[in-house]
Amino acid sequence: MAVRDDGAADSGPGSQTSLTELRRLAATDGLTVADEVVQRRPNPDPATYVGSGKVDELAALAESAHADLVIADGELTPGQVRNLEERVGVRVVDRTALILDIFAEHARTSEGRVQVELAQIAYQLPRLRGRGRTMSRVGGGRTAGGAGMGVRGPGEMRLAT
């Protein structure tokens, strides 16, 4: 999936060069590309990266192709990822997440693995989300087995991790 600005350079997001590179990155990660969806517009939609019509088209395409993943040829905000995942029904990642995953698979030395893991954690930090108690930062009372107030909750432990 990509957004292409007609006035942009031939190597920017949504260009044939960029989409070819994205296909190669997906192949390197062991993924098979089912199809491409490109929308021509001056700027990405702030809520879903692509317009609502393209989101519906993407959802139908993902369902018909039995896709497990949608890859965006550009940087997605955490809100865009969440909105796309809710509407499309499959996991959505952007180019950066795909590249970090490739580096994680190919890191050989312990220092390299640690550096990649640190980069992945730094990338995922603003994208952590949870509902209700799963991301609660306060424990205590009955949830902590009567350990009292001020005990770290599950969200505090997840954010620390």
Side-chain angles (χ1 to χ4, degrees):
M1 155 183 71
V3 172
R4 171 99 172 119
D5 182 5
D6 286 332
D10 289 338
S11 62
S15 69
Q16 195 57 44
T17 304
S18 183
L19 291 173
T20 301
E21 181 182 306
L22 191 62
R23 277 184 176 271
R24 289 183 181 154
L25 287 170
T28 301
D29 201 29
L31 303 171
T32 303
V33 177
D35 206 347
E36 296 174 359
V37 174
V38 179
Q39 183 173 32
R40 300 198 184 286
R41 58 185 298 150
N43 295 312
D45 185 276
T48 57
Y49 188 67
V50 292
S52 60
K54 285 292 180 186
V55 172
D56 295 339
E57 178 184 331
L58 192 60
L61 184 62
E63 185 178 337
S64 68
H66 304 291
D68 299 327
L69 181 69
V70 171
I71 304 170
D73 185 27
E75 188 77 25
L76 297 177
T77 66
Q80 288 170 332
V81 171
R82 182 179 57 251
N83 293 336
L84 282 168
E85 285 179 348
E86 287 173 1
R87 292 194 49 197
V88 175
V90 297
R91 188 169 157 238
V92 176
V93 297
D94 59 10
R95 177 184 281 265
T96 304
L98 179 64
I99 291 170
L100 286 172
D101 189 52
I102 292 168
F103 278 127
E105 287 182 22
H106 292 91
R108 296 288 177 242
T109 66
S110 60
E111 182 181 347
R113 286 190 293 267
V114 169
Q115 287 177 343
V116 171
E117 185 178 0
L118 180 61
Q120 285 179 316
I121 289 170
Y123 176 77
Q124 291 172 354
L125 182 62
R127 290 159 175 80
L128 288 178
R129 66 179 190 271
R131 296 183 185 11
R133 292 179 171 246
T134 60
M135 287 299 285
S136 171
R137 296 180 82 176
V138 178
R142 293 182 186 197
T143 60
M149 292 305 293
V151 177
R152 290 171 33 148
E156 182 78 20
M157 290 182 264
R158 185 169 176 197
L159 285 173
T161 301

